């Protein structure tokens, strides 16, 4: 049975709607509704930044204008995604209750301004958000047009105020069973004589106190606490609306592999996953790069609940905060939007409906431009996409099946980037390396899940763990068990170095049993300067490697590749070990794309994972339900491409039988289906 995310059974198409900015222009508000219908938009997110309009003075509410907006949308069959307004606070709130303002890591207190910068711990902020959320919920609880709660906006950042410090200490007391000795051991505070003798001495990391890089355990605990406290605040907001409208699902718009928050934790408290995607199409990195980067993030979001998600924001045109604000070339709007759908989205939503005349986002792409017209390239793209989504509506609720998984661990990223050593440029390119491995599946048209270490690996033919620097004993056990039972795992350099508190494992890397799983020990790691390379020989081919070269020694593994230069010439660089009924691969150096490409070509064939032979820059993704399969064929290049699917399907937009060879125009996309 198909499960829809909201009670609306089709693709949501629409976006952020900020009528507050236009209250002086009633004719514009009227036109908005007319244009929304013309654009085949059926959903609007409202209220995101409405607090100072809804509650202009403390405890004095004004819902009149909002009633009208809600009524106009509802009576025109435009679904409402109703936001709680905590993302930006009214001035009166900050003036009267300064505790709601954030304190920066260096101890300086912020003054009123901007957005997304309140204290998550402040009892007053919690009280005030609960009040306004309750009022909103009570006012609109019976309105049939409201299909989803949009809780706040893009939670992020951290506060270092005294309230947060105290909450952090309480969090640690629980974590370390009230035992300072445990904490001192986990944080290795003997280093530089930093022993903690009283809980009150604990303070968040900051540039003029304990810099982030000094005590790794403190740093990852702080990051973990920030996620915990943000989620706690989010839950507080959710509780307020759920108390009144228990049947309306809730979402919070996430930001993809956004480093500061662990979405694997956050996601458990919302009903529906949604996220905001802003790829840099047509940038110097090339669209293939942008495409698999966006695909990776879509898959990450899809796998947060292993169900469809919502694309809550994307731009219909340009993104004003990117370094260079390029337009989407013809075709790209449809392609990028259907890419999200291909990877599991049941919506295409935009930031934003209409460009505001002022404010920093006045030049951000929007459906309606400053010319105020329901025509032009961008509007037509949006409208045509709306028509297409209506034709594809049966796809909503369908799921994605994957044989392959790449593990992405937010907390590992914190640990890896904060370590001192390796290449100290503050970025060990963990995300990039996860995407490099993912790309090898993507470019062969293989559905791939992006999962956390906590998931069941058993359902996959292969699980890839790029740079799993920080690994718990529990995860080590799981990896060993999965491999023993016939699974295939791929590991890379800089894996299995530290435990959850970032203490190095003793007894050789990778940690504990992983040495048996991979049949090797990694004795040292060499980091290379930017212009330095080594190479490895695999079969009769030589491959460039850069950045990191681990000096490994096989204990039982078969050596698939060896280094060709430097004093470690001849040492193993790629290894394969049989462990139980499974196989464990270890890639000890950061390879060029070619090394990974050839490595995965062989592995994917060996595992019998079905794949396509695709021209560069194209891909295929599938979704399915009980009796149908949906195939999305995508071309991210600026030239025509032919994709041979070796099977005939129905073109869902035309209803006609498609050729086996799909001819795609530049930035073209085709959605096909077949009975299962
Ligand atoms: C984010 C925010 C929006 C808007 C867009 C602009 O995603 O949630 O309010 O600022 O960025 O790209
Ligand atoms: Zn605070």
């Amino acid at each position: 049975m198909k499960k829809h995310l909201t009670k609306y059974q089709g693709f949501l198409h629409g976006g952020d709607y900020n009528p507050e900015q236009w209250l002086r222009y009633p004719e514009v508000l009227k036109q908005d509704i007319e244009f929304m219908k013309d654009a085949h938009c059926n959903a609007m997110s409202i209220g995101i930044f409405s607090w100072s309009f809804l509650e202009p003075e403390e405890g004095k509410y004004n819902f009149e204008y909002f009633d009208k907006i809600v009524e106009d949308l509802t009576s025109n069959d435009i679904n409402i995604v109703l936001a709680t307004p905590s993302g930006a606070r009214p001035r009166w709130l900050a003036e009267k209750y300064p505790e709601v303002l954030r304190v920066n890591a260096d101890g300086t207190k912020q003054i009123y301004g901007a957005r997304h910068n309140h204290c998550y711990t402040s009892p007053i902020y919690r009280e005030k958000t609960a009040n306004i959320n309750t009022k909103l919920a009570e006012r609109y609880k019976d309105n049939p047009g409201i299909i989803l709660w949009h809780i706040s906006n893009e939670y992020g950042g951290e506060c270092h105020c005294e309230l947060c410090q105290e909450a952090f200490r309480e969090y640690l007391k629980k974590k370390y069973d009230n035992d300072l000795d445990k904490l001192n051991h986990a944080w290795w505070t003997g280093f530089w004589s930093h022993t903690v003798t009283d809980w009150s001495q604990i303070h968040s990391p900051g540039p003029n106190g304990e810099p982030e890089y000094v005590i790794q355990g403190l740093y990852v605990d702080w990051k973990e606490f920030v996620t915990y406290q943000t989620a706690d605040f989010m839950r507080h907001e959710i509780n307020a609306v759920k108390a009144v409208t228990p049947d309306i699902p809730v979402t919070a718009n996430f930001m993809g592999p956004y480093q500061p928050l662990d979405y694997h934790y956050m996601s458990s408290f919302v009903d529906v996953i949604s996220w905001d995607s802003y790829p840099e199409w047509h940038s110097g990195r090339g669209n293939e790069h942008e495409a698999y980067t966006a695909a990776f993030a879509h898959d990450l979001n899809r796998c947060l609940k292993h169900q469809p998600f919502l694309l809550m924001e994307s731009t219909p045109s340009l993104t004003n905060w990117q370094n260079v604000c390029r337009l989407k070339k013809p075709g790209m709007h449809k392609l990028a939007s259907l890419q999200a759908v291909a990877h599991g989205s049941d919506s295409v939503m935009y930031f934003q409906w209409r460009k505001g005349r002022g404010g920093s986002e006045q030049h951000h792409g929007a459906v309606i431009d400053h010319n105020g017209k329901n025509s032009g390239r961008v509007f037509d793209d949006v409208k045509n996409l709306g028509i297409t989504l209506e034709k594809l509506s049966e796809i909503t609720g369908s799921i994605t099946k994957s044989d392959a998984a790449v593990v992405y661990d937010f907390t590992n990223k914190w640990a890896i980037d904060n370590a001192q050593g390796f290449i100290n440029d503050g970025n060990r390119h963990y995300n990039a390396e996860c995407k490099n491995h993912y790309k090898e599946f993507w470019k062969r048209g293989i559905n791939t899940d992006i999962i956390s270490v906590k998931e069941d690996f058993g359902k996959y033919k292969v699980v890839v763990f790029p740079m799993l620097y920080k690994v718990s004993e529990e995860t080590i056990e799981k990896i060993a068990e999965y491999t023993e039972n016939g699974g295939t795992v791929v590991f890379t350099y800089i894996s299995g170095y530290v435990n959850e508190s970032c203490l190095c494992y003793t007894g050789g890397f990778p940690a504990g049993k992983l040495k048996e799983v991979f049949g090797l020990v990694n004795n040292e790691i060499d980091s290379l300067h930017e212009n330095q390379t080594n190479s490895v020989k695999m079969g009769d081919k030589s491959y460039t490697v850069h950045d990191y070269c681990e000096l490994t020694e096989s204990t039982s593994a078969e050596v698939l590749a060896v280094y060709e230069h430097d004093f470690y010439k001849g040492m193993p660089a790629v290894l394969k070990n049989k462990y139980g009924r499974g196989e464990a691969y270890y890639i000890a150096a950061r390879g060029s794309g070619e090394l990974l490409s050839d490595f995965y070509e062989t592995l994917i064939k060996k595992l019998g994972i079905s794949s396509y032979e695709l021209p560069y820059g194209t891909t295929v993704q599938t979704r399915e339900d009980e009796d149908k399969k949906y195939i999305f064929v995508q071309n991210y290049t600026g030239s025509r491409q032919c994709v041979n699917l070796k099977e005939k399907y129905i073109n869902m937009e035309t209803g006609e039988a498609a050729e086996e060879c799909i001819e795609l125009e530049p930035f073209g996309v085709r959605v096909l289906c077949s009975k299962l």
Side-chain angles (χ1 to χ4, degrees):
M1 258 293 278
K2 271 200 201 184
K3 214 179 135 265
H4 290 279
L5 299 174
T6 69
K7 66 182 185 187
Y8 184 73
Q9 316 237 319
F11 286 103
L12 296 179
H13 183 226
D16 283 21
Y17 182 37
N18 300 305
E20 294 78 15
Q21 297 175 23
W22 296 93
L23 295 180
R24 291 180 187 82
Y25 304 74
E27 69 289 355
V28 169
L29 296 179
K30 197 158 164 257
Q31 196 186 53
D32 277 337
I33 302 283
E34 201 185 301
F35 286 2
M36 283 170 193
K37 291 171 80 173
D38 188 22
H40 289 248
C41 282
N42 60 28
M44 289 290 146
S45 308
I46 56 170
I48 302 176
F49 299 114
S50 306
W51 200 342
S52 66
F53 293 85
L54 298 173
E55 192 180 357
E57 283 174 55
E58 186 175 11
K60 290 212 172 120
Y61 299 94
N62 164 25
F63 283 101
E64 258 166 57
Y65 86 95
F66 212 70
D67 288 349
K68 169 128 178 54
I69 304 287
V70 168
E71 170 54 29
D72 287 349
L73 292 169
T74 308
S75 58
N76 283 284
D77 293 327
I78 298 168
N79 293 294
I80 294 172
V81 176
L82 183 55
T84 66
S86 65
R89 75 188 83 80
R91 285 181 193 268
W92 59 257
L93 182 47
E95 256 168 35
K96 185 159 177 201
Y97 307 105
E99 76 165 47
V100 307
L101 298 169
R102 247 176 222 182
V103 169
N104 302 320
D106 65 1
T108 52
K109 190 164 181 71
Q110 297 191 356
I111 53 174
Y112 180 81
R115 62 173 180 176
H116 303 161
N117 53 6
H118 50 272
C119 169
Y120 290 124
T121 309
S122 157
I124 290 179
Y125 205 64
R126 288 181 177 220
E127 182 196 319
K128 299 295 168 197
T129 49
N131 285 350
I132 186 73
N133 292 5
T134 307
K135 288 274 179 221
L136 269 170
E138 281 170 348
R139 185 114 186 151
Y140 301 111
K141 65 179 190 306
D142 299 321
N143 187 302
I146 293 165
I147 56 164
L148 182 66
W149 280 107
H150 180 297
I151 304 295
S152 199
N153 193 58
E154 293 192 337
Y155 285 117
E158 52 193 52
C159 176
H160 296 254
C161 78
E162 238 342 285
L163 293 166
C164 288
Q165 301 296 347
E166 206 37 50
F168 180 41
R169 289 170 199 134
E170 288 308 311
Y171 177 82
L172 293 171
K173 278 187 198 161
K174 259 197 211 131
K175 174 160 182 173
Y176 293 102
D177 306 323
N178 239 329
D179 184 347
L180 267 185
D181 193 47
K182 269 194 191 166
L183 176 137
N184 276 307
H185 181 237
W187 289 5
W188 208 252
T189 50
F191 178 70
W192 291 353
S193 207
H194 284 197
T195 312
V196 180
T197 53
D198 193 284
W199 294 97
S200 64
Q201 297 161 349
I202 293 170
H203 199 279
S204 59
N208 40 5
E210 198 75 274
E212 293 180 340
Y213 62 85
V214 175
I215 298 181
Q216 279 73 36
L218 163 64
Y219 177 72
V220 293
D221 276 348
W222 169 250
K223 301 294 285 181
E224 206 178 276
F225 164 75
V226 170
T227 290
Y228 173 84
Q229 198 69 347
T230 307
D232 194 57
F233 181 83
M234 179 178 78
R235 278 152 67 192
H236 177 78
E237 285 214 55
I238 293 172
N239 290 344
V241 301
K242 284 265 178 188
V244 185
T245 58
D247 298 329
I248 301 180
V250 301
T251 191
N253 52 340
F254 293 162
M255 291 176 273
Y258 168 70
Q259 187 238 333
L261 289 174
D262 178 0
Y263 287 139
H264 284 124
Y265 179 76
M266 299 275 294
S267 57
S268 55
F269 305 109
V270 293
D271 302 312
V272 172
I273 300 298
S274 68
W275 87 285
D276 304 340
S277 173
Y278 293 97
E280 286 192 66
W281 300 115
H282 317 299
S283 74
R285 292 180 300 199
N287 282 330
E288 195 216 26
H289 177 273
E290 296 307 317
Y292 69 76
T293 298
F296 178 89
H298 289 314
D299 282 335
L300 169 72
N301 280 280
R302 174 177 56 74
C303 294
L304 290 177
K305 283 197 184 292
H306 290 282
Q307 68 182 28
F309 62 90
L310 298 177
L311 176 64
M312 189 57 88
E313 287 180 27
S314 61
T315 178
S317 169
L318 56 82
T319 305
N320 80 318
W321 47 260
Q322 288 171 350
N323 279 348
V324 177
C325 306
R326 291 224 69 181
L327 293 174
K328 287 179 179 168
K329 291 186 192 291
M332 187 47 96
H333 181 64
K334 182 175 182 185
L335 173 61
S337 302
L338 292 183
Q339 177 191 35
V341 173
H343 288 269
S345 179
D346 278 1
S347 72
V348 177
M349 304 278 281
Y350 311 117
F351 179 85
Q352 61 175 333
W353 167 252
R354 184 186 281 270
K355 286 186 185 177
R357 293 188 61 191
S360 64
E361 292 180 329
Q362 63 189 158
H363 298 302
H364 196 290
V367 183
I368 306 295
D369 210 325
H370 292 296
N371 67 13
K373 295 208 164 112
N374 59 336
S375 59
R377 203 177 71 97
V378 172
F379 186 88
D380 291 348
D381 271 353
V382 167
K383 177 173 177 162
N384 290 331
L385 185 80
I387 295 170
T388 300
L389 290 174
E390 283 160 12
K391 290 187 188 153
L392 302 180
S393 77
E394 67 170 77
I395 296 175
T396 57
S398 62
I399 56 153
T400 307
K401 290 194 177 156
S402 310
D403 283 336
V406 174
V407 166
Y408 180 79
D409 183 343
F410 292 88
T411 72
N412 181 50
K413 165 113 173 99
W414 303 338
I416 223 167
D417 282 348
N418 195 45
Q420 294 290 292
F422 315 112
I423 297 172
N424 281 317
D425 60 0
N427 183 357
R428 270 77 206 209
H429 301 287
Y430 171 60
N431 284 13
E433 194 61 344
C434 288
K435 286 183 273 180
N436 288 340
H437 287 256
Y438 169 82
K439 172 189 169 189
E440 295 305 323
F441 297 95
W442 175 87
K443 73 181 197 194
R444 292 175 173 85
I446 300 167
N447 287 352
T448 305
D449 284 0
I450 308 298
I451 59 171
S452 85
V453 290
K454 300 221 163 76
E455 294 220 25
D456 168 22
F457 304 143
K459 58 185 174 191
Y460 302 107
K461 288 188 178 163
V462 57
V463 185
V464 184
F465 301 81
M467 299 175 77
L468 194 64
Y469 171 70
K470 176 167 89 63
V471 61
S472 67
E473 285 181 19
E474 194 189 330
T475 303
I476 295 173
E477 218 25 74
K478 273 183 65 182
I479 294 170
E481 201 184 303
Y482 165 70
T483 319
E484 198 166 0
N485 292 333
T488 297
V489 291
V490 180
F491 253 52
T492 72
Y493 58 92
I494 317 196
S495 289
Y497 280 44
V498 300
N499 72 5
E500 280 174 303
S501 308
C502 294
L503 295 185
C504 282
Y505 279 105
T506 53
F509 301 152
K513 219 181 198 175
L514 291 174
K515 283 185 284 297
E516 288 157 44
V517 174
F518 291 93
L520 60 86
V521 58
N522 145 34
N523 293 320
E524 292 178 87
I525 179 162
D526 195 12
S527 301
L528 310 189
H529 284 273
E530 217 174 318
N531 299 323
Q532 299 173 334
T533 56
N534 200 321
S535 63
V536 305
K537 185 127 197 183
M538 189 164 72
D540 46 19
K541 221 167 140 181
S542 177
Y543 302 85
T544 306
V545 295
H546 56 105
D547 292 354
Y548 301 115
C549 298
E550 273 180 354
L551 279 51
T552 62
E553 186 186 317
S554 164
T555 48
S556 65
E558 181 189 335
V559 177
L560 303 181
V562 294
Y563 290 107
E564 292 192 300
H565 305 284
D566 220 321
F567 67 94
Y568 39 96
K569 178 176 172 182
M571 278 191 194
V574 181
L575 307 94
K576 166 181 158 186
N577 193 44
K578 283 203 175 318
Y579 185 76
R581 289 185 287 121
E583 281 184 336
Y585 292 83
Y586 196 94
I587 304 172
R590 181 172 280 174
S592 62
E594 221 185 335
L595 176 67
L596 292 187
S597 190
D598 287 355
F599 171 83
Y600 280 108
E601 181 68 23
T602 312
L603 184 61
I604 286 164
K605 291 233 162 75
K606 182 164 189 264
L607 293 172
I609 296 176
S610 81
S611 62
Y612 296 93
E613 264 179 48
L614 297 168
Y616 172 86
T618 67
T619 191
V620 175
Q621 287 288 312
T622 58
R623 289 175 70 166
E624 57 192 83
D625 55 28
E626 298 96 73
D627 49 10
K628 261 194 180 168
K629 182 165 155 185
Y630 306 101
I631 303 105
F632 297 77
V633 193
Q634 306 150 59
N635 173 17
Y636 293 93
T637 72
S639 43
R640 295 188 80 77
Q641 301 289 349
C642 285
V643 172
N644 191 348
L645 296 176
K646 300 206 173 118
E647 256 181 85
K648 285 204 166 193
Y649 298 101
I650 305 291
N651 179 328
M652 291 188 74
E653 281 185 81
T654 62
E656 285 163 14
E659 295 298 317
E660 284 187 6
C661 260
I662 307 292
E663 273 231 29
L664 292 167
E665 58 282 9
F667 309 120
V669 54
R670 215 65 88 240
V671 187
L672 313 166
C673 69
S674 75
K675 287 237 165 356
L676 273 179

